[in-house]
Amino acid sequence: MTERQRINIRGVNFDAVTFDEAVGRLTDALRTGVQTALYTPNSEIVQACVEDPSLAEIVNSAELITPDGIGVVKAGRILGTPFPGGRVAGFDLGRALFSKLGEMRKPDGTPYTVYFLGGKPGVAEAAQAKILEEFPDVCFAGCGDGYFKKTGEETEAVIRRVNESGADVLFVCLGAPTQEKWIWENRAKLPGVTLFLGLGGSLDGYAGIVKRAPKIFIRLGLEWFYRLCKEPWRIKRMMKLPVFYFGTWKYKLTRMKN
Ligand code: UDP
């Protein structure tokens, strides 16, 4: 295995990969059966890691970490370590994986199977139906909503269901950082799962409940602004953005002085 090239943004060790390379890492992990977690932090989460080193440790434990957000990509440029592929969004990685899964087979000839975990009741089922319309060859092992207690008996029951389903790929869409913590705490109890994908609100997007920002907003790096207009309650979380941005400049200037 080639050594991972990393880009350190304020203590979070991102992988220096393009979008296609990230997809390749996911399909390679499936082929080789090496348990792999994918986290896609945005600047809110990086800032949360700056404020909470134990969260940084959890995030850094993933086998693949890609920048999902223009704030992190800009920080890469500010710190003189630009990301080779710019933003590598989790939502898009999930979709790219569906396009590969239909044609991939395990050594015994059976298809790899997917489990959707997360979202309000009914969302995972709706997302599954929409994905099957577009990618009819994808094989689902099951799905469940994300409103269960994240420790104790309710989590144990979820783990039992996923294990019994025989899923190879587990989408864990509980919002960040809940999903990263949940995967970190429970992955060892899910030995049959090869890929753990911590993909936030992606199931809402696949189900068509939350619309992705128009392409022009994404191209201009203003997806965060579109989301804020649609979901104004996000303002409290988004206040971490300017804190992250100014903190990154301060960090750079301090580094230059020393
Ligand atoms: N969610 C969940 N369980 C919870 C809390 C949240 O399944 O206990 C889901 C919620 O329904 C939504 C997703 O997690 O689908 C969070 O979406 P958001 O866009 O806020 O994700 P983030 O920005 O954190 O990646």
Side-chain angles (χ1 to χ4, degrees):
M1 205 175 97
T2 50
E3 210 185 308
R4 285 168 79 183
Q5 301 291 312
R6 313 297 284 268
I7 293 181
N8 183 324
I9 303 291
R10 317 278 315 278
V12 175
N13 290 317
F14 287 89
D15 285 86
V17 286
T18 62
F19 185 82
D20 290 346
E21 285 165 351
V23 176
R25 292 267 196 101
L26 297 176
T27 52
D28 283 353
L30 268 181
R31 283 197 190 96
T32 54
V34 175
Q35 216 180 43
T36 293
L38 162 74
Y39 297 157
T40 65
N42 59 14
S43 42
E44 279 167 38
I45 296 303
V46 177
Q47 182 60 32
C49 289
V50 171
E51 291 164 18
D52 176 2
S54 69
L55 178 61
E57 195 185 323
I58 290 173
V59 169
N60 282 328
S61 71
E63 285 75 9
L64 183 59
I65 309 174
T66 67
D68 191 348
I70 197 68
V72 178
V73 173
K74 281 205 167 123
R77 275 189 230 129
I78 293 170
L79 297 172
T81 48
F83 285 92
R87 183 176 176 206
V88 179
F91 177 90
D92 300 323
L93 283 178
R95 282 183 54 85
L97 190 62
F98 294 131
S99 71
K100 304 274 179 202
L101 282 177
E103 56 207 46
M104 287 177 69
R105 288 290 174 273
K106 296 188 206 181
D108 67 4
T110 57
Y112 292 95
T113 59
V114 178
Y115 196 109
F116 277 171
L117 179 65
K120 298 207 174 101
V123 168
E125 287 82 354
Q128 179 179 320
K130 282 265 166 98
I131 291 297
L132 282 174
E133 276 173 25
E134 212 180 330
F135 305 98
D137 295 332
V138 171
C139 205
F140 279 93
C143 49
D145 71 75
Y147 289 82
F148 56 90
K149 287 215 180 73
K150 305 304 181 289
T151 53
E153 185 41 45
E154 291 188 20
T155 275
E156 296 306 322
V158 168
I159 290 170
R160 265 197 307 277
R161 278 198 291 278
V162 177
N163 277 331
E164 281 163 16
S165 79
D168 302 289
V169 182
L170 180 61
F171 281 67
V172 186
C173 300
L174 307 173
T178 308
Q179 63 208 9
E180 288 78 3
K181 289 182 179 162
W182 194 86
I183 293 171
W184 189 74
E185 279 161 12
N186 297 299
R187 56 187 285 176
K189 296 183 200 159
L190 291 154
V193 174
T194 303
L195 286 185
F196 295 87
L197 310 178
L199 295 187
S202 293
L203 296 185
D204 295 327
Y206 299 150
I209 291 162
V210 173
K211 292 264 173 294
R212 193 94 196 274
K215 285 210 173 69
I216 181 77
F217 280 81
I218 298 176
R219 247 199 323 271
L220 294 174
L222 289 174
E223 190 170 9
W224 62 271
F225 178 68
Y226 179 86
R227 278 191 102 177
L228 184 59
C229 294
K230 290 272 176 192
E231 300 162 291
W233 54 265
R234 284 185 179 273
I235 187 72
K236 196 160 161 255
R237 280 178 56 176
M238 283 193 177
M239 286 316 290
K240 282 207 189 292
L241 253 155
V243 178
F244 170 75
Y245 194 65
F246 289 115
T248 302
W249 271 108
K250 203 167 140 206
Y251 176 80
K252 177 184 166 103
L253 295 173
T254 321
R255 235 180 31 180
M256 278 163 68
K257 266 196 236 150
N258 297 330

PDB file of all heavy atoms in Angstrom, residues 2-19:
ATOM      1  N   THR A   2       0.543   2.235  -0.873  1.00  0.00           N
ATOM      2  CA  THR A   2       1.351   3.451  -0.887  1.00  0.00           C
ATOM      3  C   THR A   2       1.048   4.287   0.360  1.00  0.00           C
ATOM      4  O   THR A   2      -0.057   4.243   0.883  1.00  0.00           O
ATOM      5  CB  THR A   2       1.051   4.296  -2.144  1.00  0.00           C
ATOM      6  OG1 THR A   2      -0.352   4.444  -2.252  1.00  0.00           O
ATOM      7  CG2 THR A   2       1.618   3.656  -3.386  1.00  0.00           C
ATOM      8  N   GLU A   3       2.070   5.054   0.787  1.00  0.00           N
ATOM      9  CA  GLU A   3       1.898   5.849   2.003  1.00  0.00           C
ATOM     10  C   GLU A   3       0.914   6.989   1.761  1.00  0.00           C
ATOM     11  O   GLU A   3       0.874   7.557   0.667  1.00  0.00           O
ATOM     12  CB  GLU A   3       3.259   6.405   2.431  1.00  0.00           C
ATOM     13  CG  GLU A   3       3.340   6.593   3.920  1.00  0.00           C
ATOM     14  CD  GLU A   3       4.646   7.257   4.304  1.00  0.00           C
ATOM     15  OE1 GLU A   3       5.697   6.742   3.870  1.00  0.00           O
ATOM     16  OE2 GLU A   3       4.592   8.278   4.984  1.00  0.00           O
ATOM     17  N   ARG A   4       0.118   7.293   2.765  1.00  0.00           N
ATOM     18  CA  ARG A   4      -0.877   8.362   2.605  1.00  0.00           C
ATOM     19  C   ARG A   4      -0.207   9.727   2.613  1.00  0.00           C
ATOM     20  O   ARG A   4       0.600  10.028   3.482  1.00  0.00           O
ATOM     21  CB  ARG A   4      -1.881   8.314   3.762  1.00  0.00           C
ATOM     22  CG  ARG A   4      -2.863   7.195   3.645  1.00  0.00           C
ATOM     23  CD  ARG A   4      -3.625   7.003   4.931  1.00  0.00           C
ATOM     24  NE  ARG A   4      -4.692   7.969   5.122  1.00  0.00           N
ATOM     25  CZ  ARG A   4      -5.446   8.010   6.214  1.00  0.00           C
ATOM     26  NH1 ARG A   4      -5.233   7.184   7.207  1.00  0.00           N
ATOM     27  NH2 ARG A   4      -6.418   8.896   6.316  1.00  0.00           N
ATOM     28  N   GLN A   5      -0.520  10.551   1.584  1.00  0.00           N
ATOM     29  CA  GLN A   5      -0.047  11.929   1.571  1.00  0.00           C
ATOM     30  C   GLN A   5      -1.070  12.750   2.346  1.00  0.00           C
ATOM     31  O   GLN A   5      -2.263  12.685   2.028  1.00  0.00           O
ATOM     32  CB  GLN A   5       0.028  12.471   0.135  1.00  0.00           C
ATOM     33  CG  GLN A   5       0.940  11.684  -0.789  1.00  0.00           C
ATOM     34  CD  GLN A   5       2.389  11.854  -0.414  1.00  0.00           C
ATOM     35  OE1 GLN A   5       2.852  12.985  -0.204  1.00  0.00           O
ATOM     36  NE2 GLN A   5       3.108  10.751  -0.299  1.00  0.00           N
ATOM     37  N   ARG A   6      -0.624  13.514   3.334  1.00  0.00           N
ATOM     38  CA  ARG A   6      -1.573  14.200   4.208  1.00  0.00           C
ATOM     39  C   ARG A   6      -1.430  15.716   4.116  1.00  0.00           C
ATOM     40  O   ARG A   6      -0.357  16.229   3.792  1.00  0.00           O
ATOM     41  CB  ARG A   6      -1.352  13.784   5.668  1.00  0.00           C
ATOM     42  CG  ARG A   6      -1.226  12.290   5.888  1.00  0.00           C
ATOM     43  CD  ARG A   6      -2.477  11.545   5.519  1.00  0.00           C
ATOM     44  NE  ARG A   6      -3.489  11.702   6.531  1.00  0.00           N
ATOM     45  CZ  ARG A   6      -3.666  10.864   7.559  1.00  0.00           C
ATOM     46  NH1 ARG A   6      -2.897   9.804   7.670  1.00  0.00           N
ATOM     47  NH2 ARG A   6      -4.595  11.059   8.453  1.00  0.00           N
ATOM     48  N   ILE A   7      -2.524  16.408   4.378  1.00  0.00           N
ATOM     49  CA  ILE A   7      -2.510  17.866   4.485  1.00  0.00           C
ATOM     50  C   ILE A   7      -3.099  18.208   5.856  1.00  0.00           C
ATOM     51  O   ILE A   7      -4.270  17.918   6.121  1.00  0.00           O
ATOM     52  CB  ILE A   7      -3.331  18.519   3.351  1.00  0.00           C
ATOM     53  CG1 ILE A   7      -2.635  18.256   2.012  1.00  0.00           C
ATOM     54  CG2 ILE A   7      -3.510  20.014   3.594  1.00  0.00           C
ATOM     55  CD1 ILE A   7      -3.313  18.868   0.803  1.00  0.00           C
ATOM     56  N   ASN A   8      -2.250  18.788   6.714  1.00  0.00           N
ATOM     57  CA  ASN A   8      -2.695  19.075   8.071  1.00  0.00           C
ATOM     58  C   ASN A   8      -3.355  20.455   8.125  1.00  0.00           C
ATOM     59  O   ASN A   8      -2.710  21.468   7.891  1.00  0.00           O
ATOM     60  CB  ASN A   8      -1.478  19.001   9.009  1.00  0.00           C
ATOM     61  CG  ASN A   8      -1.872  19.213  10.457  1.00  0.00           C
ATOM     62  OD1 ASN A   8      -2.763  20.004  10.766  1.00  0.00           O
ATOM     63  ND2 ASN A   8      -1.215  18.502  11.346  1.00  0.00           N
ATOM     64  N   ILE A   9      -4.642  20.470   8.417  1.00  0.00           N
ATOM     65  CA  ILE A   9      -5.338  21.747   8.571  1.00  0.00           C
ATOM     66  C   ILE A   9      -5.732  21.885  10.034  1.00  0.00           C
ATOM     67  O   ILE A   9      -6.668  21.229  10.503  1.00  0.00           O
ATOM     68  CB  ILE A   9      -6.605  21.835   7.668  1.00  0.00           C
ATOM     69  CG1 ILE A   9      -6.256  21.611   6.200  1.00  0.00           C
ATOM     70  CG2 ILE A   9      -7.343  23.163   7.869  1.00  0.00           C
ATOM     71  CD1 ILE A   9      -5.440  22.708   5.545  1.00  0.00           C
ATOM     72  N   ARG A  10      -4.983  22.685  10.749  1.00  0.00           N
ATOM     73  CA  ARG A  10      -5.267  22.977  12.154  1.00  0.00           C
ATOM     74  C   ARG A  10      -5.430  21.702  12.993  1.00  0.00           C
ATOM     75  O   ARG A  10      -6.341  21.610  13.821  1.00  0.00           O
ATOM     76  CB  ARG A  10      -6.525  23.846  12.286  1.00  0.00           C
ATOM     77  CG  ARG A  10      -6.638  25.000  11.289  1.00  0.00           C
ATOM     78  CD  ARG A  10      -5.872  26.241  11.680  1.00  0.00           C
ATOM     79  NE  ARG A  10      -5.999  26.640  13.048  1.00  0.00           N
ATOM     80  CZ  ARG A  10      -7.036  27.351  13.551  1.00  0.00           C
ATOM     81  NH1 ARG A  10      -8.000  27.732  12.758  1.00  0.00           N
ATOM     82  NH2 ARG A  10      -7.054  27.707  14.799  1.00  0.00           N
ATOM     83  N   GLY A  11      -4.611  20.721  12.693  1.00  0.00           N
ATOM     84  CA  GLY A  11      -4.628  19.500  13.515  1.00  0.00           C
ATOM     85  C   GLY A  11      -5.443  18.367  12.924  1.00  0.00           C
ATOM     86  O   GLY A  11      -5.423  17.250  13.436  1.00  0.00           O
ATOM     87  N   VAL A  12      -6.182  18.619  11.835  1.00  0.00           N
ATOM     88  CA  VAL A  12      -6.913  17.519  11.174  1.00  0.00           C
ATOM     89  C   VAL A  12      -6.106  17.078   9.952  1.00  0.00           C
ATOM     90  O   VAL A  12      -5.766  17.899   9.088  1.00  0.00           O
ATOM     91  CB  VAL A  12      -8.345  17.944  10.766  1.00  0.00           C
ATOM     92  CG1 VAL A  12      -9.021  16.830   9.979  1.00  0.00           C
ATOM     93  CG2 VAL A  12      -9.166  18.297  12.006  1.00  0.00           C
ATOM     94  N   ASN A  13      -5.792  15.789   9.911  1.00  0.00           N
ATOM     95  CA  ASN A  13      -4.909  15.243   8.861  1.00  0.00           C
ATOM     96  C   ASN A  13      -5.696  14.775   7.646  1.00  0.00           C
ATOM     97  O   ASN A  13      -6.007  13.588   7.515  1.00  0.00           O
ATOM     98  CB  ASN A  13      -4.102  14.070   9.413  1.00  0.00           C
ATOM     99  CG  ASN A  13      -3.074  14.544  10.405  1.00  0.00           C
ATOM    100  OD1 ASN A  13      -2.399  15.550  10.175  1.00  0.00           O
ATOM    101  ND2 ASN A  13      -2.971  13.848  11.514  1.00  0.00           N
ATOM    102  N   PHE A  14      -6.014  15.697   6.754  1.00  0.00           N
ATOM    103  CA  PHE A  14      -6.754  15.343   5.543  1.00  0.00           C
ATOM    104  C   PHE A  14      -5.867  14.537   4.606  1.00  0.00           C
ATOM    105  O   PHE A  14      -4.636  14.676   4.623  1.00  0.00           O
ATOM    106  CB  PHE A  14      -7.210  16.616   4.822  1.00  0.00           C
ATOM    107  CG  PHE A  14      -8.339  17.323   5.513  1.00  0.00           C
ATOM    108  CD1 PHE A  14      -8.089  18.282   6.486  1.00  0.00           C
ATOM    109  CD2 PHE A  14      -9.654  17.028   5.204  1.00  0.00           C
ATOM    110  CE1 PHE A  14      -9.125  18.924   7.139  1.00  0.00           C
ATOM    111  CE2 PHE A  14     -10.694  17.666   5.842  1.00  0.00           C
ATOM    112  CZ  PHE A  14     -10.437  18.619   6.804  1.00  0.00           C
ATOM    113  N   ASP A  15      -6.510  13.737   3.737  1.00  0.00           N
ATOM    114  CA  ASP A  15      -5.779  13.040   2.681  1.00  0.00           C
ATOM    115  C   ASP A  15      -5.687  13.966   1.472  1.00  0.00           C
ATOM    116  O   ASP A  15      -6.682  14.590   1.083  1.00  0.00           O
ATOM    117  CB  ASP A  15      -6.525  11.760   2.291  1.00  0.00           C
ATOM    118  CG  ASP A  15      -6.343  10.682   3.340  1.00  0.00           C
ATOM    119  OD1 ASP A  15      -7.134  10.685   4.319  1.00  0.00           O
ATOM    120  OD2 ASP A  15      -5.410   9.891   3.227  1.00  0.00           O
ATOM    121  N   ALA A  16      -4.483  14.022   0.891  1.00  0.00           N
ATOM    122  CA  ALA A  16      -4.278  14.860  -0.304  1.00  0.00           C
ATOM    123  C   ALA A  16      -4.704  14.046  -1.522  1.00  0.00           C
ATOM    124  O   ALA A  16      -3.874  13.469  -2.219  1.00  0.00           O
ATOM    125  CB  ALA A  16      -2.814  15.267  -0.397  1.00  0.00           C
ATOM    126  N   VAL A  17      -6.010  13.963  -1.751  1.00  0.00           N
ATOM    127  CA  VAL A  17      -6.505  13.147  -2.868  1.00  0.00           C
ATOM    128  C   VAL A  17      -7.474  13.944  -3.735  1.00  0.00           C
ATOM    129  O   VAL A  17      -8.159  14.843  -3.255  1.00  0.00           O
ATOM    130  CB  VAL A  17      -7.258  11.873  -2.376  1.00  0.00           C
ATOM    131  CG1 VAL A  17      -6.306  10.835  -1.853  1.00  0.00           C
ATOM    132  CG2 VAL A  17      -8.323  12.224  -1.341  1.00  0.00           C
ATOM    133  N   THR A  18      -7.509  13.572  -5.017  1.00  0.00           N
ATOM    134  CA  THR A  18      -8.537  14.121  -5.898  1.00  0.00           C
ATOM    135  C   THR A  18      -9.822  13.303  -5.668  1.00  0.00           C
ATOM    136  O   THR A  18      -9.795  12.268  -4.991  1.00  0.00           O
ATOM    137  CB  THR A  18      -8.130  13.971  -7.375  1.00  0.00           C
ATOM    138  OG1 THR A  18      -8.017  12.564  -7.652  1.00  0.00           O
ATOM    139  CG2 THR A  18      -6.811  14.662  -7.675  1.00  0.00           C
ATOM    140  N   PHE A  19     -10.877  13.763  -6.278  1.00  0.00           N
ATOM    141  CA  PHE A  19     -12.159  13.060  -6.137  1.00  0.00           C
ATOM    142  C   PHE A  19     -12.033  11.602  -6.626  1.00  0.00           C
ATOM    143  O   PHE A  19     -12.421  10.666  -5.926  1.00  0.00           O
ATOM    144  CB  PHE A  19     -13.239  13.810  -6.936  1.00  0.00           C
ATOM    145  CG  PHE A  19     -14.602  13.233  -6.767  1.00  0.00           C
ATOM    146  CD1 PHE A  19     -15.375  13.559  -5.667  1.00  0.00           C
ATOM    147  CD2 PHE A  19     -15.114  12.323  -7.687  1.00  0.00           C
ATOM    148  CE1 PHE A  19     -16.631  12.997  -5.484  1.00  0.00           C
ATOM    149  CE2 PHE A  19     -16.365  11.766  -7.513  1.00  0.00           C
ATOM    150  CZ  PHE A  19     -17.127  12.103  -6.413  1.00  0.00           C
TER     151      PHE A  19
END
